């Protein structure tokens, strides 16, 4: 018989490394496995909080796909994900607002306490990708954060117990 499947709602709120910023993340993960080790795939959306730049602000919105491996003990679980996709970088409040789509890749890991209907824990991610938002006059610039640390909440939505 095939290994059991599990569909999970994944969320996170993170603070990003300097310059200070943060983001909110929401997605779905589907994984499969018979033992404590499970392989999975996820789809995530991440909305970056606005960051000041010159006379305006910069916002990010990322659409990411992920491959994951999860180890679940009785009350603890850890997950490692390889993520890739695109980031929408948009300026607002400028004389000439611009939008760019940029490639994005990162590694994320989490350690969570598993309760009856929810898992809560810490999540960290980092990327080798380096992007920078720059004003049209090139007088001011802001690096897109490469590291994040935050809280994650996962909620199992469905599981077939084969």
């Amino acid at each position: 018989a095939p290994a059991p499947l599990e569909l999970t709602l994944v969320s996170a709120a993170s603070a990003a490394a300097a310059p200070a910023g943060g983001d909110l993340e929401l997605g779905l993960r589907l994984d499969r496995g018979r033992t404590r080790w499970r392989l999975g795939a996820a789809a995530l959306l991440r909305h970056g909080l606005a960051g000041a730049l010159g006379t305006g602000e910069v916002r990010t919105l990322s659409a990411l796909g992920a491959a994951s491996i999860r180890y679940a003990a009785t009350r603890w679980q850890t997950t490692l994900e390889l993520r890739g996709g695109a980031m929408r970088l948009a300026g607002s409040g400028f004389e000439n607002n611009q939008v760019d789509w940029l490639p994005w890749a990162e590694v994320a890991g989490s350690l969570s306490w598993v309760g009856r209907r929810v898992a809560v824990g810490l999540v960290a991610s980092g990327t080798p990708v380096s992007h920078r938002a720059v004003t049209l006059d090139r007088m001011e610039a802001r690096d897109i954060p490469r590291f994040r640390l935050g809280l994650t909440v996962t909620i199992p939505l469905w599981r077939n117990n084969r």
Side-chain angles (χ1 to χ4, degrees):
L5 291 170
E6 182 174 284
L7 182 66
T8 306
L9 177 71
V10 180
S11 64
S14 300
D23 52 58
L24 302 172
E25 191 174 278
L26 190 63
L28 292 172
R29 180 176 59 228
L30 182 66
D31 63 15
R32 161 176 253 153
R34 288 193 196 300
T35 64
R36 294 175 187 243
W37 291 98
R38 302 180 67 80
L39 296 176
L44 307 162
L45 282 177
R46 178 187 297 144
H47 175 67
L49 305 177
L53 178 63
T55 61
E57 60 187 24
V58 175
R59 293 180 187 269
T60 61
L61 178 67
S62 301
L64 304 169
S68 67
I69 185 166
R70 179 168 57 125
Y71 178 79
T74 306
R75 286 287 171 214
W76 293 94
Q77 71 181 11
T78 186
T79 303
L80 181 64
E81 291 182 326
L82 295 176
R83 299 173 174 177
M87 174 192 297
R88 180 181 181 265
L89 181 64
S92 63
F94 299 102
E95 194 172 307
N96 182 5
N97 295 318
Q98 300 238 335
V99 174
D100 283 314
W101 284 94
L102 306 169
W104 194 256
E106 67 184 30
V107 174
S110 66
L111 177 63
S112 301
W113 173 82
V114 179
R116 187 174 235 168
R117 300 193 190 273
V118 67
V120 179
L122 296 175
V123 62
S125 65
T127 180
V129 178
S130 179
H131 292 302
R132 173 171 257 216
V134 181
T135 57
L136 285 178
D137 62 9
R138 302 218 181 272
M139 296 297 287
E140 297 200 40
R142 181 174 192 260
D143 290 328
I144 303 303
R146 295 175 63 186
F147 301 98
R148 290 175 172 74
L149 180 63
L151 297 175
T152 182
V153 176
T154 57
I155 302 170
L157 299 176
W158 171 82
R159 183 175 186 159
N160 72 342
N161 293 317
R162 294 183 185 187

